[in-house]
Amino acid sequence: MQAALARETVDSEPPVLHAENLSLGYPTEHGWRPVVHGISFSVPARRTLAIVGESGSGKSTVAKAIVKLIPVQGGSLTFHETDLAPLSKRAFFPFRKRIQMIFQDPSMALNPRRPVRDLLEEPLSIHFPEMSRAQRNAKIKDLLKAVHLPEDCLDRFASEFSGGQRQRLLIARALSVEPEVLVCDEPVSALDVSIQARLLALLKSLREEHRLTLVFISHDLAVVQQFADDLIVMQNGRVVEAGPAHAVIQNPAHPYTRMLVESCPHW
């Protein structure tokens, strides 16, 4: 059933990301705890796939697996023609700059003891060692301009910024290595509605400008409806519904999806 659901979101162009019978979990002191149970989905190039569900549904676990923060326990997770699942951390390194993640909590993802200049320069030094200092400085200034932050923030620390500004810094750092895919794990959930709207508008424009493919994790269907092309709904680690985002939200077929739609406070 899940393979059929996944096919509803597949465009005519070969997918950038494709999961087939993907199973994920975490080790505990009592043994392995399965979280995601054999799900399948595809993400066509330059489209946004939203993964929604309540807390504990497994959506953030999928995001972590895409960027190799947790291992794949079963199935495959293919980026273009390469199955990422069996790759070691060393073998995955060339893909790390091509698949970047924006985390939910920027205060945890940005080192508060380092200035913005260092936070943005570090990935450039790692992934583009041939760049000169002058080239890195020019790139950093372009990144700040792209996310609408002033150049005079370079010597400030991340802790001095608001939540929305810190999230823009995370986006700038992710864009610094020129990725193909951005995995966005609840990137606006901690922000108020007006700041959410501005950040979503920024992500939309960056997606078009940089020809990005997005995987967007969210629990808020109102956000998803204005941002995503395709949608999968997860419950208890399984996909229960999938398809074009607007169609799924307007005409939900599964009782769980209907419950999410009816409980959304932002319509």
Side-chain angles (χ1 to χ4, degrees), residues 135-150:
Q135 288 173 321
R136 290 199 297 269
N137 286 337
K139 179 76 169 180
I140 288 169
K141 290 177 181 179
D142 287 343
L143 289 168
L144 290 177
K145 184 178 180 181
V147 299
H148 306 155
L149 288 174

Side-chain angles (χ1 to χ4, degrees), residues 8-185:
E8 294 181 36
T9 66
V10 176
D11 195 76
S12 57
E13 188 174 347
V16 172
L17 280 173
H18 178 70
E20 188 69 34
N21 201 30
L22 184 67
S23 295
L24 307 167
Y26 299 95
T28 71
E29 59 182 5
H30 304 295
W32 189 259
R33 181 171 72 90
V35 175
V36 173
H37 311 281
I39 73 168
S40 299
F41 62 86
S42 289
V43 192
R46 299 180 298 280
R47 290 178 69 85
T48 296
L49 171 70
I51 305 178
V52 303
E54 294 177 312
S55 178
S57 63
K59 57 189 187 298
S60 290
T61 300
V62 174
K64 292 174 183 175
I66 293 172
V67 294
K68 207 71 174 176
L69 290 180
I70 61 170
V72 170
Q73 294 304 303
S76 62
L77 182 57
T78 304
F79 175 67
H80 292 296
E81 302 298 322
T82 302
D83 185 3
L84 303 178
L87 298 184
S88 65
K89 288 185 178 180
R90 184 181 183 88
F92 181 71
F93 180 78
F95 297 94
R96 190 165 297 283
K97 69 180 179 181
R98 300 173 69 186
I99 309 172
Q100 284 285 300
M101 187 166 182
I102 301 170
F103 295 90
Q104 178 179 3
D105 186 354
S107 64
M108 297 294 290
L110 296 170
N111 188 332
R113 295 184 175 88
R114 301 184 68 186
V116 167
R117 185 186 305 276
D118 288 357
L119 295 173
L120 296 181
E121 188 172 23
E122 181 181 41
L124 296 175
S125 300
I126 292 172
H127 292 287
F128 302 107
E130 73 283 357
M131 264 190 177
S132 68
R133 173 61 66 89
Q135 288 173 321
R136 290 199 297 269
N137 286 337
K139 179 76 169 180
I140 288 169
K141 290 177 181 179
D142 287 343
L143 289 168
L144 290 177
K145 184 178 180 181
V147 299
H148 306 155
L149 288 174
E151 284 185 24
D152 61 11
C153 75
L154 284 171
D155 296 318
R156 295 166 59 190
F157 296 90
S159 58
E160 300 178 49
F161 293 84
S162 68
Q165 290 172 325
R166 286 197 293 267
Q167 203 61 282
R168 289 172 186 267
L169 288 175
L170 274 187
I171 294 170
R173 191 170 68 172
L175 290 177
S176 69
V177 293
E178 302 173 3
E180 294 178 51
V181 175
L182 276 185
V183 180
C184 307
D185 188 10

Side-chain angles (χ1 to χ4, degrees), residues 171-217:
I171 294 170
R173 191 170 68 172
L175 290 177
S176 69
V177 293
E178 302 173 3
E180 294 178 51
V181 175
L182 276 185
V183 180
C184 307
D185 188 10
E186 300 266 16
V188 300
S189 63
L191 306 175
D192 66 41
V193 174
S194 62
I195 297 175
Q196 279 187 12
R198 290 198 290 271
L199 201 64
L200 289 172
L202 174 64
L203 283 171
K204 284 181 182 178
S205 66
L206 291 173
R207 179 184 66 177
E208 299 306 315
E209 181 181 351
H210 296 272
R211 298 171 64 82
L212 296 168
T213 301
L214 269 61
V215 178
F216 191 87
I217 310 299

